[in-house]
């Protein structure tokens, strides 16, 4: 910059007042997911599961009407699974699919599990019935539910219910914590809240 340009710049800046230093930081508004976005994500996930979960009975391993059903993913603590098995967790919601056809049962099951996960509900009751008189083989819906639940990533564990809640015709299903619950747990553990 030559002297003439410098003089012109100084003349133009003569009445400019410097900004005072500020220690506050203005953060942009946090990104939040709208209800419509959540609905679209749930629909996409539901669609993916519906394509993955078979309706063809030849692909479903059969179980007997009076079989006890039990499933636990790696990482689920034995004590937690025992409490589930004994029906010690509060049931947040229930779905009754016995009496439905295979397609209705699958579609209802997927929608139910995804909705309950989104709401942060941890334990649900799923009534599938025993199906002694089902055609083409006994326990069709029970067999399908047993297989489908193992294919859903959101299902951490399930076990046949206690007699008073349906026995071998129903399941306790354990679902994962939602993101908000995970954050709250981390914060509680970070502060040492679990020691009080």
């Amino acid at each position: 910059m030559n002297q003439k340009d410098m003089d012109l710049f100084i003349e133009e800046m003569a009445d400019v007042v410097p900004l005072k230093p500020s220690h506050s930081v203005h953060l942009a508004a946090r990104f939040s997911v709208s209800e419509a976005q959540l609905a679209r994500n749930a629909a996409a996930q539901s669609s993916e599961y519906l394509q993955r979960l078979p309706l063809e009975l030849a692909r479903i391993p059969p179980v007997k009407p009076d079989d006890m059903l039990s499933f636990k993913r790696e990482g689920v603590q034995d004590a937690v699974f025992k409490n589930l098995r004994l029906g010690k967790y509060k049931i947040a919601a229930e779905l009754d699919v016995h009496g439905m056809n295979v397609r209705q049962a699958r579609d209802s099951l997927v929608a139910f599990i995804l909705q309950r996960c989104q709401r942060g509900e941890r334990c649900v009751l799923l009534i599938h019935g025993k199906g002694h008189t089902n055609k083409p083989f006994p326990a069709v819906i029970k067999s399908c539910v047993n297989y489908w639940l193992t294919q859903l990533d959101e299902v951490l564990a399930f076990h046949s219910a206690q007699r008073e809640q349906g026995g071998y015709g129903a399941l306790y299903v354990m679902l994962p914590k939602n993101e908000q619950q995970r954050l709250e747990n981390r914060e509680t553990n970070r502060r040492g809240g679990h020691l009080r």
Side-chain angles (χ1 to χ4, degrees):
M1 196 184 283
N2 64 32
Q3 187 60 38
K4 184 178 178 185
D5 289 338
M6 183 59 90
D7 291 339
L8 184 59
F9 176 75
I10 291 173
E11 184 181 320
E12 290 294 322
M13 294 293 151
D15 61 343
V16 173
V17 178
L19 295 173
K20 293 181 182 175
S22 172
H23 297 291
S24 64
V25 177
H26 299 287
L27 298 176
R30 295 190 92 193
F31 174 75
S32 64
V33 180
S34 72
E35 290 296 320
Q37 289 169 320
L38 287 173
R40 280 194 300 276
N41 288 345
Q45 192 173 15
S46 177
S47 176
E48 176 188 331
Y49 277 136
L50 293 177
Q51 290 175 8
R52 274 186 15 201
L53 301 179
L55 292 173
E56 303 83 27
L57 296 178
R59 295 178 55 195
I60 305 290
V63 296
K64 295 178 182 160
D66 292 316
D67 282 353
M68 178 191 68
L69 302 182
S70 184
F71 169 81
K72 178 180 87 148
R73 289 201 191 281
E74 192 172 318
V76 174
Q77 297 173 354
D78 290 337
V80 170
F81 187 67
K82 180 181 178 183
N83 286 337
L84 178 72
R85 178 176 55 85
L86 296 174
K88 292 191 175 184
Y89 293 116
K90 180 181 176 228
I91 303 297
E94 67 179 59
L95 174 67
D96 187 345
V97 296
H98 91 285
M100 293 183 181
N101 68 39
V102 174
R103 180 179 300 277
Q104 290 169 331
R106 182 198 62 180
D107 295 356
S108 297
L109 174 73
V110 169
F112 178 75
I113 295 295
L114 293 177
Q115 287 171 353
R116 299 303 154 191
C117 284
Q118 192 174 43
R119 292 181 183 169
E121 295 171 352
R122 300 294 316 281
C123 185
V124 297
L125 183 68
L126 182 59
I127 303 164
H128 50 67
K130 292 183 181 180
H132 286 287
T133 60
N134 285 160
K135 301 287 185 214
F137 58 86
V140 169
I141 297 297
K142 182 175 182 173
S143 299
C144 290
V145 165
N146 181 58
Y147 178 73
W148 293 333
L149 287 176
T150 64
Q151 305 304 305
L152 296 174
D153 298 333
E154 289 76 11
V155 174
L156 298 178
F158 62 81
H159 197 281
S160 292
Q162 295 293 307
R163 182 180 308 236
E164 61 275 6
Q165 291 182 300
Y168 294 159
L171 293 170
Y172 300 126
V173 181
M174 178 171 284
L175 305 174
K177 294 175 182 171
N178 66 17
E179 192 57 35
Q180 180 63 35
Q181 291 167 327
R182 284 190 200 110
L183 290 173
E184 289 169 4
N185 266 12
R186 276 189 220 126
E187 186 62 22
T188 300
N189 291 335
R190 187 184 68 77
R191 290 183 181 171
H194 62 288
L195 300 175
R196 292 183 190 149

